[in-house]
Amino acid sequence: MSVIVVLILFSMMVAGGFLVAFLWAVKSGQYDDKYTPSVRMLFDDKEQTILNEKTNKTNS
Amino acid sequence: MSKTQLKEISQEIDIVCYHCGEICPSDAIHKDEKIFCCQGCKVVYEILNEKNLCTYYDLNESPGKTQQTLLLKNKYEYLDDAELTGKLLDFSDGKISTVTFFIPQMHCSSCIWLLENLFKIHHEILQSRVNFVEKKLSVSFQSNKISLRQVVELLAFIGYEPQISFEDVEKKSVENVNKKLYYKVGLAGFGFGNIMLLSFPEYLSIDVSSESLRTIFSYVIFLLSLPLLFYCGSEYFISAFKGLRKKFVNIDVPLSLGIVALFGKSAFEIFTHGSPGYMDSFAGLMFFLLLGKIFQNKTYDVLNFDRNYKSFFPISVTVKKNGNEKSIPLSQLKIGERIVVKNGELIPADAILFYGEGNIDYSFVTGESAPVGKVVGEMIYAGGRQIGSSIELEVLKDVSQSYLTQLWNNFQAKSGVEFSFTGIANSLSKYFTFAILLIAVLAFIYWIRIDANIAITAFITVLIVACPCALAMSTPFTLGNTLRIFGKNDFYVKNIRVLEDMAKVDTIVWDKTGTLTKSGETEIEFTGAILSSEENTLVKSLVRNSNHPLSKKIFTAIKESSLLKVENFIEIAGQGIQGEIAGQRIKIGGESFFALNKAKEGEETIYESIPIPVSSEVYLSINDVVKGKYKIQNKYRDEADLVIKQTQKKYDSYLLSGDNETEKSYLVNLFENEEKVFFRQSPLAKLNFIKKLQMGKQKILMLGDGLNDAGALAQSNVGISISEDILNFTPASDAILNAKMLKNLPTFLNFTAISLKIIYASFCISILYNFVGLYFAVQGLLSPLFSAILMPLSSISVVVFTTLTTTFFAKRKGLL
């Protein structure tokens, strides 16, 4: 029986952890803008690296 | 009399600007094998190219904003005022500042990309972040190295001019209601899941080996359900209490009754028998109810339905004192002060023209595109925009006391009508509540003679099973879905209550200018003698010298391209222009302009009989012979007549126009009744007209666009403002409709009616479930397991039914 009590305690802690994570995500504004991040992640810094390469070449 | 139609220059060349995608003129600018429509676009391209930001052009084709309209040099002078900037900034520690702008021009991923790479253009900008949905940009910059004004000017320069309004300065801290709802749903979901898990032994009737384990399970369930009752359920209790105090039984009353019965009965079970009772049903109920709330709370963050005049007024004005010009915040403007209004600026308060030549564009207020000329000593109402040279005005009234702002303010208080006391579910809940109470009492009376225990169980379980959760959910899910479908069709409704009101409408009131007609787009029509090509050239050469908008319109309307030299050019403000070309005297102007020289006209008198001069008409004479007149005509929206014809069958339709009667015959014909078309309506007259109709118990839907409709829109049961650019100006209203979608109005109205029918159908479904539950409950046989299945099942089937049917009908109506 005591095993089950420990298990319940443990499962509650895990579930509680997820709950806290969710509340934190809401609080920190991750649910405020659900669109922009999906676009933002598609931008790459290709240009910047090419620029760096260019400047490196000219420097050397 | 013959008629010559002069259309605006048709687009002959199809070369588009690399930066903004506008069609380039023949003298387009070439640079790096790319073509630009104007110097401005080229400069922006050069800057981006230099900073290696040309990804901007790779992501989308021609993403830029045209630079053809030039920025005024001193427009942002007021941002140098420290007190004002302090109010605009979100945060500042002297070195680093953060500010959030509203930038309606954002429209594609290129915009996001460029705006988030501002730091590459200007190294003093540390970081910029876009919220695309709200069209907001927050920028942090080193305020000791770059001023706010410079940041704003940089943004304006690259084509993303922020909208800074008076309202931003008086920032209201808006508590994010949505966040709170997310917390509640998260918590309810957590409780629901765990309670279900812990109830599993009960569901499966697993013989729990030890009684103490069962008790522990029950206690844990009890603990889990406490936050659900006190935090998640609190608003239902509060709303029910408020309703009862006002002697009104709203939907939250039977809901609260059910929730309390569920929780109380289960808590009793837990502490007496050590079994978890109906806690799982309780948690499930809370979870689904809140989910429905999230669904109905879909709002269009970027649109502002409750704007007041402040969002349209500038945040600062230039005041002239002892010969010095100084920029002060609008809120500090006092009566009697002398203000300077420059070209393109808005007049912030009712004032008297003191110096200069007023040429006021009231399109913002009335939707009327032709500017109104004003001379020194005349009164100018707030809301107009000066075009041309600067003028000086003496302020007559406070900003908030001006004619239009006051009209608007009257309604601010009214708009916050108590939410929870309207709606179908609420109007039904009274009967519903009494019915279940009656059933519960009857069951109790029947059983009390046989067994007191069963009597109590029956009484409580009736309350539990009759809990109208499905009833409470059908409205948010159906109308929430409808709201979303409308949103996809560029019809943005403020909230679901508006949809319910829309279904009850029986009268439609139209505004003319800007609603039925296209704002800013006019046709020039010449009536009179047929003009030869030489004569057209003469006219074109003459009007080229004038900056009056009418002159410019005539200029673009005449196709001849050669121009001649004009001598002795005279322009009399508000009257007309004249000049000599190759010995021929040409005059263009209003009737008063010709009245001055009437004696000379002699033989040509046919136009004398024309009654009341209209500001949108000018006469033309060549060598003192009147040739005819140019008339500016409003262009009606493409399918406006069709929409009116369609809606007229079902709805009583009226037209209220602030304009004169020039187009009366057409409109009377359209509305099929002379008594339904009204002209020269002031904003107040429009408002009173709506009030009068409402006194006759008519439910009114009003469509309007300008500030002059604001009062009437707010007064009518449903006020829809029509706008070509939904992010731009719209008066306070219940819904915003993209002008292009006007043709869909009959479909929208029809679909709201269907939505309501769907709600009634889902009521029937939920009542069926209730009957099944009640059958067992009155016998005292409702087991926790049965309730745990029945209650979520009824909720889910209502949700599925409503969303599926609305989507189905939307597809059939062509809305999806």
Side-chain angles (χ1 to χ4, degrees), chain B residues 150-270:
Chain B
Q150 282 170 296
V151 174
V152 173
E153 281 174 346
L154 170 71
L155 283 168
F157 175 72
I158 57 170
Y160 297 96
E161 190 180 351
Q163 247 180 34
I164 304 169
S165 66
F166 191 41
E167 208 173 26
D168 294 328
V169 182
E170 303 183 337
K171 239 172 233 167
K172 297 167 280 178
S173 57
V174 189
E175 173 63 26
N176 200 334
V177 192
N178 249 338
K179 263 189 186 176
K180 216 170 181 177
L181 199 54
Y182 277 119
Y183 290 150
K184 286 184 179 176
V185 170
L187 204 63
F190 169 80
F192 178 44
N194 283 300
I195 290 172
M196 275 228 322
L197 274 181
L198 292 169
S199 308
F200 249 89
E202 298 285 326
Y203 293 163
L204 307 174
S205 324
I206 295 169
D207 194 20
V208 186
S209 53
S210 100
E211 202 52 38
S212 61
L213 195 62
R214 197 170 175 226
T215 320
I216 289 172
F217 271 40
S218 311
Y219 286 154
V220 175
I221 286 173
F222 181 72
L223 283 178
L224 282 170
S225 61
L226 282 178
L228 264 64
L229 181 75
F230 292 112
Y231 183 62
C232 302
S234 56
E235 58 189 298
Y236 294 101
F237 302 136
I238 293 167
S239 164
F241 180 70
K242 272 188 189 160
L244 286 178
R245 219 173 43 184
K246 289 191 180 161
K247 301 210 167 64
F248 186 92
V249 184
N250 58 6
I251 185 74
D252 293 326
V253 174
L255 267 181
S256 306
L257 216 63
I259 293 171
V260 170
L262 262 173
F263 184 83
K265 169 85 176 153
S266 315
F268 178 77
E269 293 273 320
I270 288 168

Side-chain angles (χ1 to χ4, degrees), chain B residues 650-661:
Chain B
K650 248 181 104 183
Y651 302 92
D652 205 9
S653 298
Y654 295 90
L655 178 91
L656 301 180
S657 171
D659 245 356
N660 49 54
E661 284 101 340

Side-chain angles (χ1 to χ4, degrees), chain A residues 1-2 4-5 8 11-12 14-19 22-37 39-40 42-48 50-52 54, chain B residues 51-55 58-59 109-110 112-113 116-117 120 129-134 176 178-180 182-187 190 194-195 198 210 212-213 216-217 220 224 301:
Chain A
M1 176 205 121
S2 58
I4 290 182
V5 175
I8 286 174
S11 76
M12 283 294 152
V14 173
F18 281 109
L19 178 68
F22 173 75
L23 296 182
W24 171 79
V26 173
K27 195 177 160 63
S28 67
Q30 290 182 36
Y31 283 78
D32 293 355
D33 183 2
K34 282 161 259 176
Y35 178 76
T36 325
V39 178
R40 192 180 289 133
L42 296 174
F43 299 144
D44 42 25
D45 299 328
K46 188 175 65 186
E47 233 66 17
Q48 199 56 45
I50 294 167
L51 180 72
N52 289 341
K54 272 185 194 164
Chain B
K51 305 281 178 187
N52 225 37
L53 290 170
C54 278
T55 310
D58 300 338
L59 292 168
S109 51
S110 284
I112 302 177
W113 186 83
E116 297 204 334
N117 280 297
K120 286 182 187 162
R129 218 151 166 79
V130 170
N131 182 333
F132 188 75
V133 179
E134 293 181 24
N176 200 334
N178 249 338
K179 263 189 186 176
K180 216 170 181 177
Y182 277 119
Y183 290 150
K184 286 184 179 176
V185 170
L187 204 63
F190 169 80
N194 283 300
I195 290 172
L198 292 169
S210 100
S212 61
L213 195 62
I216 289 172
F217 271 40
V220 175
L224 282 170
D301 301 316

Side-chain angles (χ1 to χ4, degrees), chain B residues 19-56:
Chain B
H19 178 74
C20 67
E22 297 260 321
I23 291 161
C24 292
S26 48
D27 55 344
I29 301 157
H30 293 256
K31 163 98 190 177
D32 297 348
E33 295 165 15
K34 282 149 190 130
I35 298 161
F36 300 94
C37 65
C38 60
Q39 200 63 29
C41 286
K42 195 194 86 176
V43 174
V44 176
Y45 165 75
E46 280 172 347
I47 293 234
L48 298 185
N49 193 27
E50 182 195 330
K51 305 281 178 187
N52 225 37
L53 290 170
C54 278
T55 310
Y56 183 56

Side-chain angles (χ1 to χ4, degrees), chain B residues 399-593:
Chain B
V399 175
S400 57
Q401 294 301 312
S402 290
Y403 176 57
L404 280 166
T405 46
Q406 219 180 1
L407 195 69
W408 203 329
N409 282 356
N410 288 344
F411 289 93
Q412 293 307 310
K414 201 209 90 182
S415 57
V417 190
E418 284 271 350
F419 219 100
S420 50
F421 301 141
T422 51
I424 319 163
N426 281 323
S427 55
L428 278 177
S429 64
K430 188 169 63 185
Y431 310 104
F432 192 86
T433 312
F434 290 126
I436 49 172
L437 279 176
L438 189 72
I439 295 170
V441 168
L442 286 179
F444 182 79
I445 291 170
Y446 177 81
W447 284 109
I448 193 80
R449 292 170 303 152
I450 304 158
D451 186 341
N453 258 337
I454 300 177
I456 292 168
T457 312
F459 183 80
I460 290 171
T461 48
V462 164
L463 292 186
I464 290 171
V465 82
C467 175
C469 54
L471 198 70
M473 272 187 295
S474 59
T475 319
F477 275 96
T478 315
L479 296 183
N481 207 10
T482 308
L483 206 74
R484 211 172 310 255
I485 290 162
F486 283 179
K488 276 186 188 153
N489 287 284
D490 284 345
F491 179 41
Y492 304 94
V493 180
K494 188 163 137 194
N495 55 45
I496 61 168
R497 192 177 59 89
V498 174
L499 289 173
E500 291 183 23
D501 288 340
M502 233 170 100
K504 289 182 206 142
V505 160
D506 55 15
T507 308
I508 298 181
V509 176
W510 296 85
D511 164 57
K512 196 198 86 185
T513 328
T515 305
L516 287 179
T517 64
K518 289 185 186 173
S519 55
E521 236 182 283
T522 45
E523 277 177 338
I524 291 253
E525 195 186 51
F526 184 76
T527 40
I530 299 170
L531 294 183
S532 66
S533 174
E534 292 95 71
E535 283 171 327
N536 267 332
T537 312
L538 293 178
V539 174
K540 189 163 183 170
S541 311
L542 181 73
V543 293
R544 196 169 80 113
N545 293 283
S546 161
N547 268 328
H548 194 278
L550 213 62
S551 304
K552 287 182 176 165
K553 285 229 166 80
I554 296 173
F555 183 81
T556 45
I558 296 174
K559 287 204 186 80
E560 276 76 7
S561 55
S562 57
L563 288 170
L564 301 165
K565 201 173 165 235
V566 180
E567 281 161 353
N568 297 333
F569 178 79
I570 304 167
E571 176 159 11
I572 301 170
Q575 299 201 0
I577 51 173
Q578 64 175 38
E580 281 174 32
I581 303 168
Q584 310 215 58
R585 245 176 348 130
I586 305 171
K587 284 169 68 171
I588 298 174
E591 203 178 359
S592 59
F593 191 54

Side-chain angles (χ1 to χ4, degrees), chain B residues 104-117:
Chain B
Q105 289 93 325
M106 267 184 225
H107 65 282
C108 64
S109 51
S110 284
C111 300
I112 302 177
W113 186 83
L114 183 62
L115 288 171
E116 297 204 334
N117 280 297

